Amino acid sequence: MSIVWLASYPKSGNTWFRALLTNYLQGGPSASINALVGAWKANDRELFNELVGLDSSELTADELLRHRLAFHALLAEALPSPTFMKVHEAFLPVPAPRSAAASPDRWLFSGVEAVTVYLVRNPLDVAVSYAHHRNRSIDDAIEQMNNPHAVESGQRGGLGCLIPQPLTTWSGHVSSWLGQNELPVHVVKYEDLVAAPTAAFDAALRFIERHYPEFPADAAAKGRMPQNAKQRTAALATAVDHAAFHRLQTQEAREGFYEKQPTALSFFRAGVVGDWREALTATQVHSLVEAHGAVMAQLGYLAEAQAFLADAGANE
Amino acid sequence: MVGLDGYRSYAAFGLAWRSCVALPFRSRGGGQPDVVIRYGEVPSSLPPAVGHAPWQAAPGAFLLRFEGVAHFYVGNGREILIAADGGDERAISACLIGPVLAALLQQREVATLHGGAVEVRGGDGAAVFLGATASGKSSLLAALVDRGYALLADDLTGAVLTEGQPVILPAFPALRLWADALDLLGWRARPVVRVRDQLDKYEVRVQRFRTTPTRLCVCYVLGDSRSENVSVAAVPSAEAFQWVNRHSYRRSFSHGMKQGVGRFLTLSRIAKQVPTFRVKRALHPFRVGPLADAVERHMETLFAQDQCPTQADAHPCPSFG
């Protein structure tokens, strides 16, 4: 009856975290990237249509949000607890129907018993990765990150197999999740996952275990869980090794990855920190700093960007 | 045409309808209706109501509460009651011809399939195209209609057994297409009606429409491929039921109404008697022309080999209890 939301702006390490989690729960040989825990259930149109009953393609954006509350509750009811679900939406308020009298505030992700692991990444690196993911220019990715009405999987004039995910801006997204008081949140910085994957992943696991002592829900996985600190260290190290970025890339090249955007060349691109220094122009960095500087400062991303801009200014 | 009492008379799915809401069904003369759709008092719940879904089901009864639009009650396959909740007629109609209609058909033991159908083989049979939402079913149907095939159903297809044979019931002469599909098909200049004000989805009436129940001759299941080429592969008979069942339209409704027997028998017969194929095509870029070409070529080969059951003539409308 409980959900662990794996929430993030796109291209912030969500899938990599799911690869770590899947490998940790499975133990043994490397997990398939096409069977990662926490897949797109909360945005699956077919599941929505079948469980909610209404046709998601004939609902307005507000109606979709309203019925997502029931959908999440139905999913939580049907799946073992706690269940993991990847989401890219901002922490959104749910508008009441016109016909309803004044009703209390409702939030898209707080209608069910849940906690959140929120993954966040330097927006300068997100811009580079997001451009690749969308197979569009970096300027286009930055425009999307600065757009308060941005929607992922929100095909204009058409329909996708996923329910559209309203993102708001990059900083709007981060603020919505970190500023809300409805759900406990554990923040995982992408840069920490790269620098010290075992420690960053272990901290997230401990957060989940603290809230859900019954974790993991699956009995077989429960049987495989480490019984002492030594076993835990070994299990974490194995998961980190199996989910190493180059292994994920190799798997994708060999088997394909069903979650990849059809337009993208690959999903697992580089997975490095600081790629933006080579890929972004000073104008592009300036645009992101101007739009998101305050939140970048909170997360420790601003100083490096400002130093880059100062250097660029000095060299002009 | 609207009667003096504000009701319209329609024919669809082998049934006579009398409705206070405009529907895209074919008009018919008067006479006793099989189904009446009217505004009225809708129960707030069907005991024992459990769960969070906006719908509830019990034997012979179905309730759907679409907050901000309308609440719907479907009783015994004969009556649909509507209590408006702020929605306009188009929003109510859109819901009526989707999940509400599916519930009513299921109450009549009609198997509801998520897909569309056209007449094939010069009127001798029907081909059904199943697939998930956004798999290109309606675009393919539109392309086939452009090539001279008569439409039987779009998105929600009703199937029954007549003399032991799976038969597709004619739905209504309209397709529902998104703006990008209209562009793809070159249908932008055609008269269209927006399904709902806020959506870029349109209803397009079609002239070529089969009005009689038609024996199901071949079944295609649409899916994605990484390749740009269209491929067609036979589904092993042992897996056919699983594929057809997976593409049932709102099968959970019939479970709730405890009316799955007719559905099960029909799906079993389809799986046993009707050749079923998986059609894979690239989602991006989605090209409807090559998809329709491949399906047409495949049907030609299939029918030339005489692999489909034939139908001397249209079957009479199935009778419902």
Side-chain angles (χ1 to χ4, degrees):
Chain A
M1 300 291 280
S2 304
I3 293 175
V4 179
W5 300 116
L6 302 177
S8 71
Y9 197 85
K11 305 314 290 176
S12 300
N14 204 321
T15 305
W16 185 22
F17 185 88
R18 290 167 53 217
L20 285 163
L21 186 60
T22 308
N23 277 292
Y24 180 76
L25 292 172
Q26 282 192 6
S30 287
S32 165
I33 55 171
N34 288 304
L36 299 180
V37 297
W40 282 118
K41 288 194 187 67
N43 297 90
D44 185 317
R45 277 193 187 279
E46 293 300 302
L47 257 182
F48 177 99
N49 294 350
E50 190 63 33
L51 291 180
V52 175
L54 296 168
D55 187 341
S56 62
S57 73
E58 298 200 346
L59 302 185
T60 65
D62 284 355
E63 288 166 357
L64 253 180
L65 284 179
R66 278 201 290 279
H67 288 93
R68 284 280 297 278
L69 292 173
F71 183 43
H72 295 163
L74 290 162
L75 285 172
E77 217 168 63
L79 295 166
S81 175
T83 195
F84 292 89
M85 286 190 208
K86 167 184 177 169
V87 287
H88 279 329
E89 290 90 342
F91 193 85
L92 297 165
V94 177
R98 274 178 317 197
S99 58
S103 56
D105 286 348
R106 293 191 300 174
W107 299 90
L108 182 58
F109 294 107
S110 64
V112 289
E113 159 65 35
V115 300
T116 302
V117 173
Y118 186 78
L119 292 112
V120 65
R121 184 183 190 184
N122 187 337
L124 305 176
D125 277 336
V126 170
V128 182
S129 183
Y130 203 16
H132 176 87
H133 178 69
R134 289 156 61 86
N135 201 14
R136 293 189 190 170
S137 68
I138 288 177
D139 282 335
D140 182 88
I142 292 173
E143 196 181 315
Q144 171 90 340
M145 292 170 71
N146 294 353
N147 177 7
H149 305 294
V151 177
E152 180 78 352
S153 316
Q155 286 86 341
R156 288 173 65 189
L159 186 67
C161 55
L162 292 177
I163 291 171
Q165 304 128 51
L167 302 172
T168 71
T169 64
W170 176 84
S171 48
H173 194 282
V174 177
S175 303
S176 75
W177 278 99
L178 304 193
Q180 54 82 27
N181 295 312
E182 301 285 318
L183 299 178
V185 178
H186 176 82
V187 179
V188 178
K189 284 177 76 176
Y190 185 89
E191 294 74 18
D192 294 342
L193 264 188
V194 172
T198 308
F201 180 54
D202 190 30
L205 278 180
R206 289 184 190 282
F207 166 80
I208 296 162
E209 288 161 348
R210 191 163 62 246
H211 286 278
Y212 300 113
E214 72 271 28
F215 167 82
D218 177 61
K222 202 185 281 292
R224 286 193 295 268
M225 285 298 99
Q227 301 300 309
N228 54 47
K230 193 176 168 189
Q231 285 180 8
R232 185 180 180 99
T233 304
L236 288 168
T238 304
V240 167
D241 181 46
H242 284 162
F245 212 82
H246 68 277
R247 291 193 199 281
L248 304 179
Q249 283 175 319
T250 307
Q251 259 203 54
E252 182 181 8
R254 198 174 57 228
E255 301 163 21
F257 183 38
Y258 84 99
E259 294 184 41
K260 179 181 83 68
Q261 287 261 2
T263 49
L265 298 174
S266 63
F267 187 93
F268 299 103
R269 185 186 58 94
V272 296
V273 172
D275 217 13
W276 63 271
R277 289 180 158 280
E278 302 300 322
L280 299 189
T281 64
T283 308
Q284 289 168 335
V285 173
H286 184 263
S287 170
L288 287 163
V289 166
E290 195 173 61
H292 311 295
V295 174
M296 288 173 73
Q298 282 173 29
L299 293 163
Y301 296 137
L302 186 61
E304 201 185 357
Q306 284 176 328
F308 176 89
L309 289 173
D311 277 355
N315 291 331
E316 263 180 16
Chain B
M1 200 170 80
V2 187
L4 291 175
D5 55 3
Y7 281 79
R8 298 162 174 85
S9 294
Y10 294 118
F13 295 93
L15 299 167
W17 301 70
R18 189 164 173 269
S19 172
C20 61
V21 176
L23 297 170
F25 294 177
R26 283 180 305 124
S27 295
R28 65 167 185 99
Q32 196 65 20
D34 300 303
V35 183
V36 175
I37 302 174
R38 63 183 174 88
Y39 287 99
E41 199 172 325
V42 169
S44 57
S45 69
L46 298 177
V50 288
H52 300 89
W55 61 272
Q56 295 165 26
F62 176 84
L63 183 67
L64 177 65
R65 296 170 64 85
F66 186 172
E67 301 299 336
V69 173
H71 300 173
F72 302 88
Y73 172 82
V74 186
N76 297 313
R78 297 192 176 281
E79 179 181 51
I80 296 174
L81 295 175
I82 305 163
D85 187 36
D88 60 23
E89 193 173 24
R90 268 185 295 163
I92 290 172
S93 168
C95 195
L96 268 174
I97 62 169
V100 177
L101 175 58
L104 181 125
L105 293 174
Q106 290 174 7
Q107 287 178 350
R108 289 177 164 264
E109 295 288 4
V110 175
T112 51
L113 301 172
H114 190 194
V118 294
E119 173 195 81
V120 292
R121 223 178 173 179
D124 253 4
V128 71
F129 301 92
L130 307 178
T133 303
S135 61
K137 301 183 296 292
S138 296
S139 300
L140 173 60
L141 291 169
L144 291 173
V145 167
D146 257 353
R147 295 174 184 210
Y149 293 84
L151 183 72
L152 271 158
D154 174 29
D155 200 48
L156 169 56
T157 294
V160 293
L161 292 180
T162 301
E163 296 165 8
Q165 302 294 323
V167 165
I168 299 301
L169 302 174
F172 47 88
L175 288 160
R176 298 195 146 208
L177 296 162
W178 288 88
D180 59 354
L182 292 176
D183 290 336
L184 206 63
L185 292 156
W187 281 25
R188 269 292 186 182
R190 298 198 180 190
V192 296
V193 178
R194 205 180 265 267
V195 170
R196 295 188 64 186
D197 285 342
Q198 304 90 330
L199 300 180
D200 226 2
K201 191 176 186 181
Y202 301 87
E203 185 175 285
V204 191
R205 302 288 289 184
V206 298
Q207 297 303 314
R208 295 180 199 279
F209 183 73
R210 167 97 175 189
T211 57
T212 47
T214 307
R215 182 179 298 184
L216 180 57
C217 173
V218 59
C219 182
Y220 292 99
V221 182
L222 302 189
D224 298 345
S225 166
R226 290 198 188 93
S227 163
E228 283 198 19
N229 299 322
V230 180
S231 67
V232 184
V235 172
S237 54
E239 295 173 19
F241 180 85
Q242 174 198 331
W243 279 100
V244 178
N245 186 43
R246 183 184 299 174
H247 293 291
S248 292
Y249 189 105
R250 306 293 191 275
R251 58 181 181 272
S252 43
F253 289 1
S254 61
H255 294 159
M257 293 187 287
K258 311 222 180 305
Q259 287 192 274
V261 177
R263 174 183 157 276
F264 179 80
L265 289 175
T266 305
L267 297 191
S268 301
R269 281 300 176 108
I270 291 173
K272 196 172 170 188
Q273 297 177 357
V274 179
T276 299
F277 300 89
R278 287 192 74 191
V279 182
K280 288 188 166 186
R281 85 286 173 276
L283 193 59
H284 288 277
F286 175 60
R287 295 197 181 95
V288 70
L291 175 60
D293 289 345
V295 166
E296 269 200 297
R297 272 198 309 272
H298 186 266
M299 287 196 293
E300 270 173 32
T301 310
L302 191 73
F303 301 156
Q305 294 166 347
D306 206 24
Q307 287 193 10
C308 286
T310 57
Q311 172 172 287
D313 202 353
H315 283 259
C317 283
S319 58
F320 301 109

Short mmCIF file of all heavy atoms in Angstrom, two decimals, chain A residues 35-78:
data_model
loop_
_atom_site.label_atom_id
_atom_site.label_comp_id
_atom_site.label_asym_id
_atom_site.label_seq_id
_atom_site.Cartn_x
_atom_site.Cartn_y
_atom_site.Cartn_z
N ALA A 35 14.63 -4.62 -17.50
CA ALA A 35 13.75 -5.12 -16.42
C ALA A 35 14.11 -4.43 -15.11
O ALA A 35 14.25 -5.08 -14.08
CB ALA A 35 13.90 -6.63 -16.31
N LEU A 36 14.26 -3.12 -15.17
CA LEU A 36 14.62 -2.38 -13.96
C LEU A 36 13.40 -2.14 -13.08
O LEU A 36 12.29 -1.93 -13.60
CB LEU A 36 15.24 -1.02 -14.34
CG LEU A 36 16.52 -1.07 -15.17
CD1 LEU A 36 17.01 0.34 -15.48
CD2 LEU A 36 17.61 -1.87 -14.46
N VAL A 37 13.60 -2.17 -11.78
CA VAL A 37 12.47 -1.86 -10.88
C VAL A 37 12.09 -0.39 -11.06
O VAL A 37 12.90 0.43 -11.49
CB VAL A 37 12.80 -2.13 -9.39
CG1 VAL A 37 13.09 -3.59 -9.15
CG2 VAL A 37 13.94 -1.27 -8.91
N GLY A 38 10.85 -0.09 -10.72
CA GLY A 38 10.40 1.32 -10.74
C GLY A 38 10.11 1.86 -12.11
O GLY A 38 10.19 3.07 -12.33
N ALA A 39 9.75 0.98 -13.08
CA ALA A 39 9.47 1.46 -14.44
C ALA A 39 8.22 2.34 -14.45
O ALA A 39 7.59 2.55 -13.42
CB ALA A 39 9.33 0.28 -15.38
N TRP A 40 7.87 2.77 -15.66
CA TRP A 40 6.87 3.82 -15.86
C TRP A 40 5.44 3.46 -15.48
O TRP A 40 4.54 3.76 -16.25
CB TRP A 40 6.84 4.16 -17.35
CG TRP A 40 7.94 5.00 -17.85
CD1 TRP A 40 8.87 4.65 -18.78
CD2 TRP A 40 8.25 6.35 -17.50
NE1 TRP A 40 9.72 5.68 -19.01
CE2 TRP A 40 9.36 6.75 -18.23
CE3 TRP A 40 7.68 7.27 -16.60
CZ2 TRP A 40 9.93 7.99 -18.12
CZ3 TRP A 40 8.24 8.50 -16.49
CH2 TRP A 40 9.36 8.86 -17.25
N LYS A 41 5.18 2.86 -14.38
CA LYS A 41 3.78 2.48 -14.10
C LYS A 41 2.87 3.70 -13.93
O LYS A 41 1.75 3.72 -14.39
CB LYS A 41 3.72 1.61 -12.85
CG LYS A 41 4.27 0.23 -13.07
CD LYS A 41 3.87 -0.68 -11.93
CE LYS A 41 4.54 -2.02 -12.05
NZ LYS A 41 6.00 -1.94 -11.85
N ALA A 42 3.35 4.72 -13.24
CA ALA A 42 2.50 5.87 -12.92
C ALA A 42 2.14 6.68 -14.16
O ALA A 42 1.30 7.58 -14.08
CB ALA A 42 3.18 6.76 -11.89
N ASN A 43 2.77 6.40 -15.30
CA ASN A 43 2.48 7.14 -16.53
C ASN A 43 2.02 6.23 -17.66
O ASN A 43 1.96 6.65 -18.80
CB ASN A 43 3.73 7.90 -16.98
CG ASN A 43 4.15 8.94 -15.97
OD1 ASN A 43 4.93 8.64 -15.08
ND2 ASN A 43 3.60 10.13 -16.05
N ASP A 44 1.71 4.99 -17.33
CA ASP A 44 1.35 4.00 -18.34
C ASP A 44 -0.12 4.18 -18.74
O ASP A 44 -1.03 3.95 -17.94
CB ASP A 44 1.59 2.60 -17.75
CG ASP A 44 1.36 1.50 -18.77
OD1 ASP A 44 0.37 1.58 -19.51
OD2 ASP A 44 2.16 0.57 -18.80
N ARG A 45 -0.35 4.59 -19.98
CA ARG A 45 -1.73 4.85 -20.44
C ARG A 45 -2.61 3.62 -20.35
O ARG A 45 -3.77 3.71 -19.94
CB ARG A 45 -1.73 5.30 -21.90
CG ARG A 45 -1.44 6.74 -22.11
CD ARG A 45 -1.79 7.16 -23.53
NE ARG A 45 -1.33 8.50 -23.75
CZ ARG A 45 -1.99 9.59 -23.35
NH1 ARG A 45 -3.15 9.48 -22.73
NH2 ARG A 45 -1.51 10.78 -23.58
N GLU A 46 -2.08 2.48 -20.78
CA GLU A 46 -2.92 1.29 -20.81
C GLU A 46 -3.36 0.90 -19.40
O GLU A 46 -4.52 0.55 -19.17
CB GLU A 46 -2.17 0.13 -21.47
CG GLU A 46 -1.90 0.34 -22.94
CD GLU A 46 -3.17 0.51 -23.75
OE1 GLU A 46 -4.03 -0.38 -23.73
OE2 GLU A 46 -3.31 1.57 -24.39
N LEU A 47 -2.41 0.96 -18.48
CA LEU A 47 -2.74 0.64 -17.09
C LEU A 47 -3.76 1.64 -16.54
O LEU A 47 -4.72 1.26 -15.85
CB LEU A 47 -1.48 0.74 -16.23
CG LEU A 47 -0.77 -0.53 -15.80
CD1 LEU A 47 0.42 -0.19 -14.92
CD2 LEU A 47 -1.72 -1.46 -15.05
N PHE A 48 -3.53 2.91 -16.83
CA PHE A 48 -4.46 3.95 -16.38
C PHE A 48 -5.86 3.66 -16.91
O PHE A 48 -6.84 3.66 -16.15
CB PHE A 48 -3.96 5.33 -16.87
CG PHE A 48 -4.87 6.47 -16.50
CD1 PHE A 48 -4.59 7.28 -15.40
CD2 PHE A 48 -6.01 6.76 -17.26
CE1 PHE A 48 -5.44 8.33 -15.06
CE2 PHE A 48 -6.86 7.80 -16.92
CZ PHE A 48 -6.56 8.59 -15.82
N ASN A 49 -5.95 3.43 -18.22
CA ASN A 49 -7.28 3.22 -18.82
C ASN A 49 -7.98 2.02 -18.21
O ASN A 49 -9.19 2.07 -17.93
CB ASN A 49 -7.13 2.99 -20.33
CG ASN A 49 -6.63 4.22 -21.06
OD1 ASN A 49 -6.55 5.30 -20.48
ND2 ASN A 49 -6.28 4.06 -22.32
N GLU A 50 -7.24 0.96 -17.98
CA GLU A 50 -7.85 -0.26 -17.46
C GLU A 50 -8.25 -0.10 -16.00
O GLU A 50 -9.34 -0.50 -15.60
CB GLU A 50 -6.87 -1.43 -17.62
CG GLU A 50 -7.46 -2.79 -17.34
CD GLU A 50 -8.59 -3.19 -18.29
OE1 GLU A 50 -8.57 -2.81 -19.46
OE2 GLU A 50 -9.52 -3.90 -17.83
N LEU A 51 -7.39 0.51 -15.20
CA LEU A 51 -7.69 0.62 -13.76
C LEU A 51 -8.67 1.74 -13.45
O LEU A 51 -9.60 1.57 -12.67
CB LEU A 51 -6.40 0.84 -12.96
CG LEU A 51 -5.42 -0.34 -12.89
CD1 LEU A 51 -4.19 0.03 -12.08
CD2 LEU A 51 -6.07 -1.57 -12.29
N VAL A 52 -8.46 2.90 -14.08
CA VAL A 52 -9.33 4.06 -13.79
C VAL A 52 -10.65 3.94 -14.56
O VAL A 52 -11.68 4.41 -14.11
CB VAL A 52 -8.60 5.38 -14.11
CG1 VAL A 52 -9.51 6.58 -13.94
CG2 VAL A 52 -7.36 5.53 -13.22
N GLY A 53 -10.59 3.30 -15.73
CA GLY A 53 -11.82 3.09 -16.50
C GLY A 53 -12.01 4.13 -17.58
O GLY A 53 -12.55 3.85 -18.63
N LEU A 54 -11.57 5.37 -17.33
CA LEU A 54 -11.74 6.43 -18.32
C LEU A 54 -10.63 6.32 -19.38
O LEU A 54 -9.60 5.70 -19.14
CB LEU A 54 -11.65 7.79 -17.62
CG LEU A 54 -12.76 8.06 -16.62
CD1 LEU A 54 -12.43 9.29 -15.77
CD2 LEU A 54 -14.10 8.28 -17.34
N ASP A 55 -10.87 6.96 -20.52
CA ASP A 55 -9.89 6.94 -21.60
C ASP A 55 -8.95 8.13 -21.42
O ASP A 55 -9.35 9.28 -21.62
CB ASP A 55 -10.63 7.02 -22.94
CG ASP A 55 -9.69 6.84 -24.11
OD1 ASP A 55 -8.47 7.02 -23.93
OD2 ASP A 55 -10.18 6.53 -25.20
N SER A 56 -7.70 7.85 -21.05
CA SER A 56 -6.76 8.93 -20.75
C SER A 56 -6.56 9.87 -21.93
O SER A 56 -6.25 11.05 -21.75
CB SER A 56 -5.40 8.36 -20.33
OG SER A 56 -4.86 7.61 -21.39
N SER A 57 -6.76 9.37 -23.14
CA SER A 57 -6.53 10.21 -24.31
C SER A 57 -7.67 11.20 -24.53
O SER A 57 -7.57 12.09 -25.37
CB SER A 57 -6.34 9.35 -25.57
OG SER A 57 -7.58 8.81 -25.96
N GLU A 58 -8.77 11.04 -23.81
CA GLU A 58 -9.89 11.97 -23.99
C GLU A 58 -10.13 12.80 -22.74
O GLU A 58 -11.22 13.33 -22.52
CB GLU A 58 -11.13 11.20 -24.44
CG GLU A 58 -10.86 10.52 -25.78
CD GLU A 58 -12.08 10.13 -26.57
OE1 GLU A 58 -13.17 10.12 -26.01
OE2 GLU A 58 -11.90 9.82 -27.76
N LEU A 59 -9.10 12.88 -21.89
CA LEU A 59 -9.18 13.72 -20.70
C LEU A 59 -8.35 14.98 -20.91
O LEU A 59 -7.31 14.94 -21.56
CB LEU A 59 -8.65 12.98 -19.47
CG LEU A 59 -9.32 11.66 -19.09
CD1 LEU A 59 -8.74 11.13 -17.78
CD2 LEU A 59 -10.83 11.82 -18.95
N THR A 60 -8.80 16.08 -20.34
CA THR A 60 -8.00 17.30 -20.38
C THR A 60 -6.82 17.13 -19.41
O THR A 60 -6.80 16.20 -18.59
CB THR A 60 -8.83 18.51 -19.93
OG1 THR A 60 -9.18 18.31 -18.56
CG2 THR A 60 -10.09 18.66 -20.76
N ALA A 61 -5.87 18.06 -19.50
CA ALA A 61 -4.68 17.97 -18.63
C ALA A 61 -5.09 17.98 -17.15
O ALA A 61 -4.56 17.20 -16.34
CB ALA A 61 -3.74 19.12 -18.94
N ASP A 62 -6.05 18.84 -16.79
CA ASP A 62 -6.49 18.90 -15.39
C ASP A 62 -7.21 17.61 -14.97
O ASP A 62 -7.01 17.11 -13.86
CB ASP A 62 -7.44 20.09 -15.18
CG ASP A 62 -6.67 21.40 -15.13
OD1 ASP A 62 -5.44 21.38 -15.17
OD2 ASP A 62 -7.34 22.47 -15.06
N GLU A 63 -8.04 17.10 -15.86
CA GLU A 63 -8.76 15.84 -15.54
C GLU A 63 -7.78 14.69 -15.35
O GLU A 63 -7.96 13.84 -14.46
CB GLU A 63 -9.76 15.51 -16.65
CG GLU A 63 -10.98 16.42 -16.67
CD GLU A 63 -11.79 16.32 -17.95
OE1 GLU A 63 -11.39 15.57 -18.87
OE2 GLU A 63 -12.81 17.01 -18.05
N LEU A 64 -6.75 14.68 -16.20
CA LEU A 64 -5.73 13.63 -16.06
C LEU A 64 -5.08 13.70 -14.68
O LEU A 64 -4.92 12.68 -14.02
CB LEU A 64 -4.66 13.82 -17.13
CG LEU A 64 -4.64 12.86 -18.29
CD1 LEU A 64 -3.51 13.20 -19.24
CD2 LEU A 64 -4.53 11.42 -17.85
N LEU A 65 -4.71 14.91 -14.27
CA LEU A 65 -4.07 15.06 -12.96
C LEU A 65 -5.00 14.59 -11.85
O LEU A 65 -4.58 13.88 -10.94
CB LEU A 65 -3.68 16.52 -12.72
CG LEU A 65 -2.45 17.05 -13.44
CD1 LEU A 65 -2.22 18.51 -13.12
CD2 LEU A 65 -1.21 16.25 -13.07
N ARG A 66 -6.27 14.98 -11.94
CA ARG A 66 -7.23 14.59 -10.89
C ARG A 66 -7.35 13.07 -10.81
O ARG A 66 -7.37 12.51 -9.72
CB ARG A 66 -8.60 15.19 -11.19
CG ARG A 66 -8.74 16.62 -10.76
CD ARG A 66 -10.20 17.01 -10.60
NE ARG A 66 -10.91 17.11 -11.85
CZ ARG A 66 -10.87 18.17 -12.66
NH1 ARG A 66 -10.11 19.21 -12.34
NH2 ARG A 66 -11.55 18.20 -13.77
N HIS A 67 -7.43 12.43 -11.97
CA HIS A 67 -7.62 10.98 -11.95
C HIS A 67 -6.34 10.22 -11.66
O HIS A 67 -6.38 9.02 -11.36
CB HIS A 67 -8.30 10.52 -13.24
CG HIS A 67 -9.74 10.93 -13.29
ND1 HIS A 67 -10.16 12.10 -13.87
CD2 HIS A 67 -10.84 10.36 -12.76
CE1 HIS A 67 -11.47 12.22 -13.73
NE2 HIS A 67 -11.91 11.17 -13.05
N ARG A 68 -5.22 10.90 -11.76
CA ARG A 68 -3.97 10.26 -11.37
C ARG A 68 -3.99 9.90 -9.87
O ARG A 68 -3.39 8.91 -9.46
CB ARG A 68 -2.78 11.17 -11.67
CG ARG A 68 -2.38 11.26 -13.13
CD ARG A 68 -1.54 10.07 -13.55
NE ARG A 68 -0.29 10.01 -12.84
CZ ARG A 68 0.81 10.71 -13.15
NH1 ARG A 68 0.80 11.53 -14.18
NH2 ARG A 68 1.92 10.57 -12.45
N LEU A 69 -4.69 10.70 -9.07
CA LEU A 69 -4.76 10.41 -7.63
C LEU A 69 -5.37 9.02 -7.41
O LEU A 69 -4.83 8.21 -6.65
CB LEU A 69 -5.59 11.47 -6.91
CG LEU A 69 -4.99 12.88 -6.84
CD1 LEU A 69 -6.00 13.86 -6.26
CD2 LEU A 69 -3.73 12.87 -6.01
N ALA A 70 -6.49 8.78 -8.08
CA ALA A 70 -7.13 7.46 -7.96
C ALA A 70 -6.23 6.38 -8.54
O ALA A 70 -6.11 5.28 -7.99
CB ALA A 70 -8.48 7.46 -8.68
N PHE A 71 -5.58 6.71 -9.64
CA PHE A 71 -4.69 5.75 -10.30
C PHE A 71 -3.55 5.33 -9.37
O PHE A 71 -3.26 4.14 -9.22
CB PHE A 71 -4.15 6.39 -11.58
CG PHE A 71 -3.27 5.50 -12.41
CD1 PHE A 71 -3.59 4.17 -12.65
CD2 PHE A 71 -2.11 6.01 -13.00
CE1 PHE A 71 -2.78 3.37 -13.43
CE2 PHE A 71 -1.29 5.21 -13.78
CZ PHE A 71 -1.63 3.89 -14.00
N HIS A 72 -2.93 6.30 -8.72
CA HIS A 72 -1.83 5.98 -7.80
C HIS A 72 -2.34 5.08 -6.66
O HIS A 72 -1.67 4.13 -6.25
CB HIS A 72 -1.23 7.26 -7.21
CG HIS A 72 -0.57 8.12 -8.24
ND1 HIS A 72 -0.26 9.45 -8.02
CD2 HIS A 72 -0.18 7.86 -9.51
CE1 HIS A 72 0.30 9.95 -9.11
NE2 HIS A 72 0.36 9.01 -10.02
N ALA A 73 -3.52 5.42 -6.15
CA ALA A 73 -4.07 4.62 -5.06
C ALA A 73 -4.35 3.20 -5.53
O ALA A 73 -4.09 2.22 -4.81
CB ALA A 73 -5.36 5.27 -4.54
N LEU A 74 -4.85 3.06 -6.76
CA LEU A 74 -5.15 1.73 -7.29
C LEU A 74 -3.86 0.94 -7.52
O LEU A 74 -3.79 -0.27 -7.27
CB LEU A 74 -5.93 1.85 -8.61
CG LEU A 74 -7.36 2.34 -8.45
CD1 LEU A 74 -7.92 2.86 -9.77
CD2 LEU A 74 -8.26 1.22 -7.92
N LEU A 75 -2.83 1.62 -7.99
CA LEU A 75 -1.54 0.95 -8.18
C LEU A 75 -0.97 0.49 -6.84
O LEU A 75 -0.50 -0.64 -6.71
CB LEU A 75 -0.54 1.91 -8.86
CG LEU A 75 -0.73 2.18 -10.35
CD1 LEU A 75 0.22 3.29 -10.81
CD2 LEU A 75 -0.48 0.92 -11.16
N ALA A 76 -1.03 1.40 -5.86
CA ALA A 76 -0.49 1.06 -4.54
C ALA A 76 -1.22 -0.14 -3.95
O ALA A 76 -0.63 -1.01 -3.31
CB ALA A 76 -0.58 2.26 -3.61
N GLU A 77 -2.54 -0.17 -4.20
CA GLU A 77 -3.37 -1.26 -3.69
C GLU A 77 -3.00 -2.60 -4.35
O GLU A 77 -3.01 -3.65 -3.71
CB GLU A 77 -4.82 -0.94 -4.06
CG GLU A 77 -5.86 -1.31 -3.06
CD GLU A 77 -7.18 -0.66 -3.46
OE1 GLU A 77 -7.72 -0.97 -4.54
OE2 GLU A 77 -7.62 0.20 -2.69
N ALA A 78 -2.66 -2.51 -5.64
CA ALA A 78 -2.45 -3.74 -6.42
C ALA A 78 -1.04 -4.29 -6.31
O ALA A 78 -0.81 -5.46 -6.61
CB ALA A 78 -2.77 -3.46 -7.89
#
